[in-house]
Amino acid sequence: MQDFWFYIKLGLEHVLDLSAYDHILFLSALAIPFTFKSWKPVLVLATIFTITHCTSLAFSVYGIFSIDVELIEFLIPVTIALTAILNFFRVFRKEHVTGIYFQCLATAFFGLIHGFGFSNYFNMLMAEEEHKLSPLLGFATGIEFSQIIIILMILTIAYLIQSVLKVKQSIFIGVTSILILIATIPMLIETFPN
């Protein structure tokens, strides 16, 4: 059980590590269009993201399916940028807004990509280990806890800015999406495949 908690801690630290902020940016982009009042869609999207990234993480760890590390490292910031861009469509082009089904499909695809990204780190840690199920479950649990923390933080920030400071939701979503896009540009440049 002590090992299980060790891997939960590793999963938590991996996502919450500010020097590797790509997963924080993605979850932020996913959550910023929502509020505590409209929590159900973000719960659905976060659940889909969880299921798909756990699936691709397990596939990669057990050698069922894998993707080139360099490609995954580039696709992760692409998913962040696309999620931020989708936020603009949600707010500023309401007549052409993407439906929840499209968002669910996009989030599922993005989850698969992020799962392969998580697997790169996990496989590095577990290179010499034979028994991977318990560490994998612990690591995935730590990732889920960190995702809940990030989404709750974003919803809290959204509440404070929109309710206390009286900033319109569309302005909040637009400005934060721009900031996320700006933060993603260096990652896109750095990881662009040669």
Side-chain angles (χ1 to χ4, degrees):
M1 193 63 173
Q2 191 173 2
D3 284 348
F4 187 74
W5 285 109
F6 171 77
Y7 286 103
I8 287 177
K9 188 171 178 263
L10 275 180
L12 267 167
E13 289 172 353
H14 179 60
V15 175
L16 297 177
D17 181 2
L18 293 178
S19 64
Y21 56 92
D22 51 351
H23 303 301
I24 294 172
L25 281 179
F26 177 78
L27 290 165
S28 299
L30 190 70
I32 58 172
F34 304 100
T35 63
F36 283 116
K37 290 180 183 175
S38 63
W39 59 270
K40 287 181 184 175
V42 77
L43 177 64
V44 169
L45 293 174
T47 302
I48 288 169
F49 182 71
T50 294
I51 291 168
T52 55
H53 81 63
C54 284
T55 301
S56 58
L57 173 60
F59 280 3
S60 179
V61 166
Y62 284 103
I64 297 168
F65 191 82
S66 63
I67 297 180
D68 179 62
V69 173
E70 283 188 19
L71 179 60
I72 289 299
E73 292 303 316
F74 174 68
L75 289 177
I76 287 174
V78 169
T79 66
I80 299 165
L82 290 175
T83 303
I85 290 166
L86 282 174
N87 290 340
F88 287 110
F89 283 98
R90 289 179 56 86
V91 173
F92 299 108
R93 296 188 52 124
K94 291 188 188 249
E95 69 276 8
H96 301 294
V97 74
T98 57
I100 189 69
Y101 296 114
F102 177 79
Q103 284 185 291
C104 288
L105 284 173
T107 301
F109 179 68
F110 297 165
L112 291 172
I113 292 168
H114 282 254
F116 287 117
F118 292 137
S119 74
N120 294 335
Y121 177 75
F122 184 81
N123 285 332
M124 213 169 45
L125 293 173
M126 298 297 294
E128 303 298 319
E129 298 290 330
E130 285 184 35
H131 304 289
K132 296 182 179 180
L133 182 60
S134 179
L136 177 61
L137 291 174
F139 186 71
T141 301
I143 290 170
E144 301 327 310
F145 286 157
S146 63
Q147 289 181 174
I148 291 167
I149 291 167
I150 292 166
I151 289 172
L152 287 174
M153 283 177 54
I154 295 301
L155 293 179
T156 302
I157 291 167
Y159 172 78
L160 292 172
I161 291 174
Q162 293 172 46
S163 298
V164 177
L165 299 178
K166 304 295 184 200
V167 173
K168 288 176 66 175
Q169 186 179 26
S170 59
I171 301 295
F172 172 75
I173 295 169
V175 169
T176 51
S177 294
I178 289 169
L179 292 174
I180 288 169
L181 280 170
I182 290 169
T184 305
I185 290 170
M187 285 190 289
L188 288 166
I189 295 167
E190 184 182 316
T191 60
F192 192 81
N194 294 324

